[in-house]
Amino acid sequence: MWRFIAGRLLQAIPVILAVITVTFFLVRVAPGGPFDSEKAVIPEVKAALEAQYRLDLPLGQQYFAYLQDLARGELGPSFKYPGRSVNELIAAGLPATAELGAYALLVAVVLGGLAGVVASLKPNSAQDYIPMSVAMIGICMPTFLLGPLLVLLFGIHLEWLPVAGWGDIPGDKILPSLTLGAAYAAYIARLSRAGMLEVMSQDYIRTARAKGLPEWQVVTRHALRGGLIPVVAFLGPAFAGLLAGSFVVETIFQIPGLGRFYVQAAFNRDYTMILGTTVFLSTLIVLFNLLSDILAAWLNPRLRAQYGEA
Amino acid sequence: MPLLSVRDLQVDFTTRNGRITAVNGIGFDVEPGQITAIIGESGSGKSVACYSLLGLLPTPPASIERGSAVFDGRDLLQMSERELREIRGRDIAMIFQDPMTCLNPYMTVGNQLVEPLIYHRKVTRAQARERALELLAEVGLRDPQATIDQYPHQFSGGMRQRVMIAMALINEPRLLIADEPTTALDVTIQAQILELIAELQRKRNIGVIFISHDLSVVADIADEIVVMEKGHVVERGDRQAIFQAAEHPYTQKLLAAIPAGSKPPADAAREDLIQVRNLCTWFSQGRGAEPLRAVDDVSFTVQRGEVLGLVGESGSGKSTIGRSLLRLVPVTSGEVLFDGTDVTGLAGAGLKQMRRRMQMIFQDPYASLNPRMSVYDTLAEPLLLHGIATRKTVEQGVLQLMDDVGLARAFVRKYPHEFSGGQRQRIAIGRALATRPEFVVADEPVSALDVTIQAQILELMLELGREYGLTMLFVSHDLAVVRHIADRILVLYKGRVVEQGTGDALFNAPKEDYTRQLLQAIPGRGLL
């Protein structure tokens, strides 16, 4: 197992390196620079700024200098927030985003898993059609539509929940988490329904019934584990999607998270900030994919044996 | 008084094409301490009848229309789901056909084993485990202490079936329903499992319903035999009566399907088409580990027009030899001369040319046909690929193949799932013959089929072999089947040839212990 984990971590290095390289050169190719603005800047000042941030060096040298910093864990100074490093900015934005992501994932797994399992127990009945139709709507509806709709309904019309903020008023975390998690809950509902239907038709479920176990034990003891493996395998990619999607939700609900910094950095051509956030997020995504693979292996003894040998 | 008395049972299924009566007014009895065998081909309703007794059929589409099944003074068919559940796994237990899929792959066998005991008898986990260990030892598992916490995939098919049997017996049921419990197993393992079931049954004096498609399997163990065809019981009687004085034509057909006798000896010696010299095919088992010697220094020849049988149990290397000859697995060392050319060194165009002359028929016609290709596409592909037919003549070629393998031309646009197992194997044979090969490797082509279908397919293969002038390597675990079709037989054990000779020579005067063992394992040999 440790060999498998170490192998996967080693494989991650070229992936992350490729992400860095592509991002590094792409942001440079994009028109405009960090110190271009509508106001004319005195050429001497601009030159001095560029020298300070090593922008006057040839591109190749800048690239290797960046890699050297990165090896020491330094993501460099931000171009737009003078005096603050990218490390500090990420550390400032991360807690809110991580918390939002975690709650959204929880919403997705609990709501989605439950809906999928319930639907699978009586296929092609109301118990199946209703949650699956809701899931279909969830998949189709974009976050930027769902968020304002929820705000309108629960925040303004019913006045049950606050419309914005993060950690200021009790209950203000509910709507953002729901908004972000909804599409994933819908997707997980479909995955777990399909997984459960497949497992429930297996011969070993018949064996469990022949033992005289009541149906709920057949489902919880024998079916759930196999049925939810596809969901576990999806958690890694889902996490990536949640991070990417958090920007929209953070904007709608005025949450001081990483996503907003990230997008603002792109508008500002804040090279180091874009790169730093990209490196950080891609590392997280690789780690979470690994984590979901490990979890899937832990659930499946056959896979466990394979990884154990590898 | 019988333990179970089924009367006038009718089970219907609602399908898209209307209602189908799967079980039509059948009746039978099971006496305590006796084995009642229910025999019939797939679709005869034998499994449906037994599943309906325990409420294991999904309703809908199934519905029990009428009848009674009195067990222990109470009618099973009138019980609520709750009452039935109390009886399932406690008083009536089941063993299923495929031990590979009937155990939960995500749970250790120990945890699965103790489940019925804990649920029905309210014993503690520790007590249940103690009992499970005793039973595992009783059903013949080596070292239960070490294996009880393993997962099903770590067991062989035979061992899994032993676990299934232990699981069924853990509550000391009074009735055991065994649904084709040996059909997915090798003949040698089948013989062991049959013996085990009979022994446990005698010791516990329980009633057993043994469902099978194969009369010979129950020839040694059944007390009472019920023969079913298309939802009806066509004949009932004790073992003696069925085997010696069967009256119904269907029973006679089942008896005739049991492979018996050997092929008449071939005429004069012919030239060698294939010469295999010191063939070794080893598989790496990971760094540092000894390689698995699947085929270890095997030499033999196959004459043109001959059917050579390869017999051995799972893991004997018989399939690997067939695959090595066709270069479907990499050969470690040795020579395979096909018509004078060493096949092991071929690559590219030479290999493609050779593949056209050598074809393979696989065991499982469900898995080896592409479900998204119609019969037409499946048969046309090799014709076009090897340039045997052009776009214009391909339809004629496909129809000719359909005729040859005995499929109606009207079926040509259908997909594999629309056919029965026997028909699918006919398609697979047609696919193999499409390139007009000189040599065919048939890897267990009939072991997934019912006996009656098996007999038809063997007949077809013999006929086509003559018609196409085929040379064939026929791989099987079943000596009786091989004897029926092969001119000469090689007996394999652990990757080596232990004995070879004609079918009659092996049957009448086996030289090696292992061959004797294989002969012993043939079900119902006493009756043949």
Side-chain angles (χ1 to χ4, degrees):
Chain A
M1 197 66 190
W2 293 112
R3 266 186 107 107
F4 161 73
I5 295 172
R8 284 288 298 267
L9 286 175
L10 278 178
Q11 278 172 22
I13 292 173
V15 171
I16 292 173
L17 205 64
V19 168
I20 296 169
T21 311
V22 169
T23 319
F24 184 90
F25 290 104
L26 264 184
V27 293
R28 308 290 159 135
V29 172
F35 306 112
D36 297 337
S37 60
E38 281 125 61
K39 283 187 296 180
V41 181
I42 310 162
E44 289 79 24
V45 174
K46 194 176 173 185
L49 276 171
E50 288 189 340
Q52 187 190 336
Y53 292 110
R54 295 195 299 233
L55 289 178
D56 53 343
L57 296 176
L59 208 53
Q61 278 187 30
Q62 288 184 38
Y63 174 67
F64 286 108
Y66 183 74
L67 285 187
Q68 275 173 13
D69 286 350
L70 198 62
R72 292 196 309 271
E74 285 299 323
L75 297 171
S78 164
F79 290 3
K80 275 288 158 172
Y81 301 94
R84 299 189 70 181
S85 73
V86 174
N87 294 49
E88 285 169 32
L89 288 170
I90 290 181
L94 184 64
T97 299
E99 206 182 338
L100 174 62
Y103 288 150
L105 204 60
L106 198 71
V107 165
V109 171
V110 173
L111 280 187
L114 217 60
V117 171
V118 164
S120 74
L121 295 183
K122 275 207 166 151
N124 303 324
S125 68
Q127 187 181 325
D128 179 15
Y129 291 143
I130 294 169
M132 284 303 115
S133 309
V134 174
M136 202 63 225
I137 295 170
I139 288 177
C140 296
M141 188 165 339
T143 346
F144 58 78
L145 181 61
L146 180 66
L149 276 182
L150 287 178
V151 167
L152 216 60
L153 181 64
F154 293 104
I156 296 169
H157 194 72
L158 296 172
E159 294 187 24
W160 287 356
L161 295 165
V163 298
W166 187 254
D168 306 324
I169 318 163
D172 65 358
K173 291 178 181 173
I174 295 176
L175 284 184
S177 308
L178 269 180
T179 309
L180 185 57
Y184 295 91
Y187 204 82
I188 285 175
R190 290 174 64 82
L191 271 180
S192 53
R193 175 183 180 270
M196 286 298 288
L197 276 182
E198 162 117 32
V199 169
M200 290 300 282
S201 68
Q202 295 292 316
D203 288 345
Y204 62 82
I205 297 299
R206 190 183 53 195
T207 308
R209 291 199 178 116
K211 287 175 180 176
L213 296 181
E215 196 61 20
W216 67 269
Q217 278 199 26
V218 172
V219 172
T220 52
R221 292 181 56 93
H222 287 272
L224 219 48
R225 197 161 178 176
L228 292 187
I229 282 179
V231 173
V232 170
F234 172 66
L235 287 183
F239 180 74
L242 281 174
L243 286 179
S246 71
F247 151 69
V248 179
V249 176
E250 284 171 20
T251 308
I252 297 172
F253 294 96
Q254 301 289 313
I255 298 167
L258 203 53
R260 288 175 69 201
F261 279 129
Y262 196 16
V263 174
Q264 275 164 15
F267 284 134
N268 295 335
R269 302 286 183 275
D270 191 342
Y271 293 161
T272 44
M273 186 66 198
I274 298 172
L275 266 168
T277 323
T278 308
V279 171
F280 179 73
L281 290 183
S282 54
T283 311
L284 267 189
I285 288 166
V286 166
L287 282 179
F288 266 75
N289 272 309
L290 177 62
L291 223 71
S292 79
D293 282 356
I294 292 173
L295 203 59
W298 176 72
L299 284 173
N300 189 345
R302 231 166 227 259
L303 222 55
R304 213 185 305 164
Q306 262 175 36
Y307 289 160
E309 285 159 19
Chain B
M1 198 183 89
L3 182 62
L4 172 72
S5 180
V6 177
R7 288 291 170 271
D8 202 24
L9 176 66
Q10 181 182 341
V11 184
D12 284 6
F13 279 87
T14 312
T15 69
R16 256 192 318 183
N17 304 323
R19 274 178 101 73
I20 292 170
T21 301
V23 175
N24 200 344
I26 68 158
F28 60 88
D29 292 330
V30 183
E31 302 289 336
Q34 300 239 304
I35 298 183
T36 298
I38 303 183
I39 306 293
E41 350 184 325
S42 330
S44 61
K46 56 193 192 305
S47 297
V48 168
C50 293
Y51 287 11
S52 67
L53 302 182
L54 288 181
L56 285 178
L57 287 179
T59 47
S63 65
I64 298 170
E65 292 298 308
R66 61 193 161 90
S68 66
V70 178
F71 174 78
D72 206 12
R74 293 160 72 201
D75 187 353
L76 295 172
L77 303 183
Q78 301 302 325
M79 285 185 189
S80 69
E81 166 63 22
R82 200 189 165 81
E83 289 170 304
L84 210 49
R85 225 169 47 215
E86 283 298 302
I87 287 185
R88 274 204 310 254
R90 194 187 69 190
D91 300 313
I92 305 179
M94 285 198 76
I95 314 170
F96 299 97
Q97 172 173 354
D98 193 347
M100 295 293 172
T101 59
C102 286
L103 290 172
N104 188 335
Y106 305 113
M107 278 169 91
T108 63
V109 297
N111 281 338
Q112 297 186 57
L113 210 52
V114 297
E115 231 176 9
L117 193 55
I118 291 175
Y119 181 71
H120 288 291
R121 306 275 188 215
K122 316 290 175 223
V123 299
T124 66
R125 193 152 264 284
Q127 287 167 331
R129 193 180 159 88
E130 208 46 50
R131 181 78 194 105
L133 284 168
E134 281 169 34
L135 254 179
L136 283 177
E138 192 181 343
V139 299
L141 233 72
R142 294 177 305 267
D143 199 4
Q145 283 287 358
T147 49
I148 190 168
D149 292 318
Q150 290 185 343
Y151 288 93
H153 71 266
Q154 291 164 291
F155 293 78
S156 69
M159 287 299 144
R160 286 190 217 193
Q161 200 56 295
R162 285 171 195 264
V163 171
M164 273 301 286
I165 293 172
M167 200 152 85
L169 293 180
I170 200 158
N171 271 322
E172 300 296 335
R174 279 176 295 160
L175 178 65
L176 178 68
I177 301 177
D179 184 9
E180 304 257 11
T182 61
T183 306
L185 304 173
D186 271 10
V187 206
T188 39
I189 312 294
Q190 162 168 293
Q192 294 165 14
I193 296 289
L194 287 175
E195 201 174 304
L196 178 69
I197 291 176
E199 180 198 315
L200 293 171
Q201 178 264 342
R202 272 195 306 274
K203 204 153 109 192
R204 290 174 160 74
N205 202 35
I206 56 180
V208 172
I209 300 177
F210 193 106
I211 304 172
S212 177
H213 65 89
D214 189 349
L215 259 176
S216 65
V217 167
V218 298
D220 299 324
I221 59 167
D223 297 295
E224 177 89 8
I225 296 176
V226 178
V227 181
M228 277 186 76
E229 184 193 19
K230 294 181 185 140
H232 295 274
V233 170
V234 295
E235 192 157 2
R236 267 168 78 172
D238 62 19
R239 173 170 45 162
Q240 214 71 24
I242 295 289
F243 277 96
Q244 269 142 35
E247 278 164 16
H248 196 274
Y250 181 71
T251 316
Q252 287 162 355
K253 184 179 153 199
L254 283 176
L255 283 167
I258 299 171
S262 63
K263 207 176 157 183
D267 28 283
R270 291 160 290 197
E271 49 152 348
D272 290 342
L273 178 65
I274 291 174
Q275 292 166 292
V276 177
R277 291 184 195 141
N278 309 103
L279 178 71
C280 291
T281 304
W282 296 355
F283 296 110
S284 160
Q285 306 208 83
R287 275 180 298 259
E290 266 293 287
L292 174 73
R293 301 180 174 206
V295 179
D296 200 12
D297 194 17
V298 166
S299 303
F300 61 90
T301 59
V302 192
Q303 293 168 350
R304 201 178 276 278
E306 180 185 46
V307 179
L308 180 69
L310 277 187
V311 184
E313 54 195 13
S314 305
S316 62
K318 57 188 193 304
S319 292
T320 311
I321 290 182
R323 280 157 205 247
S324 303
L325 259 49
L326 266 57
R327 289 279 310 277
L328 295 173
V329 291
V331 170
T332 310
S333 67
E335 277 183 335
V336 177
L337 295 178
F338 181 85
D339 208 6
T341 315
D342 188 0
V343 178
T344 57
L346 288 178
L351 186 61
K352 187 183 166 194
Q353 185 59 34
M354 195 56 83
R355 288 235 160 103
R356 182 187 151 174
R357 301 172 65 186
M358 310 163 90
Q359 284 292 322
M360 184 140 187
I361 301 167
F362 297 92
Q363 169 175 3
D364 189 348
Y366 295 80
S368 65
L369 293 173
N370 186 337
R372 284 173 189 78
M373 280 167 81
S374 69
V375 180
Y376 184 89
D377 296 329
T378 300
L379 295 180
E381 188 180 57
L383 290 175
L384 293 170
L385 182 70
H386 290 286
I388 293 160
T390 62
R391 292 253 157 236
K392 280 189 189 130
T393 60
V394 68
E395 185 167 352
Q396 199 47 47
V398 168
L399 292 177
Q400 181 62 45
L401 280 171
M402 298 281 287
D403 292 348
D404 284 354
V405 298
L407 285 170
R409 288 185 169 200
F411 291 162
V412 76
R413 293 289 167 193
K414 290 195 173 197
Y415 287 84
H417 71 268
E418 296 174 272
F419 291 95
S420 68
Q423 287 172 322
R424 277 185 239 204
Q425 200 55 293
R426 284 173 193 266
I427 300 169
I429 291 171
R431 186 199 54 75
L433 295 184
T435 64
R436 297 255 149 197
E438 292 154 62
F439 175 61
V440 169
V441 174
D443 189 0
E444 303 264 14
V446 295
S447 55
L449 305 174
D450 275 9
V451 253
T452 41
I453 311 297
Q454 167 176 307
Q456 291 166 15
I457 296 289
L458 286 176
E459 213 40 60
L460 176 75
M461 291 180 75
L462 278 172
E463 197 179 300
L464 289 173
R466 277 193 298 273
E467 200 175 304
Y468 280 66
L470 280 179
T471 307
M472 206 187 307
L473 190 69
F474 190 97
V475 178
S476 176
H477 64 86
D478 190 338
L479 200 46
V481 166
V482 174
R483 183 194 187 197
H484 187 68
I485 192 168
D487 299 302
R488 272 188 314 133
I489 300 174
L490 297 187
V491 180
L492 285 165
Y493 185 63
K494 292 190 175 159
R496 289 171 172 273
V497 176
V498 292
E499 189 167 358
Q500 52 179 309
T502 63
D504 284 340
L506 289 182
F507 266 70
N508 299 330
K511 292 192 195 71
E512 297 294 321
D513 283 345
Y514 182 67
T515 314
R516 267 189 283 275
Q517 244 177 5
L518 279 179
L519 285 169
Q520 286 291 313
I522 295 174
R525 63 199 170 280
L527 291 148
L528 304 173

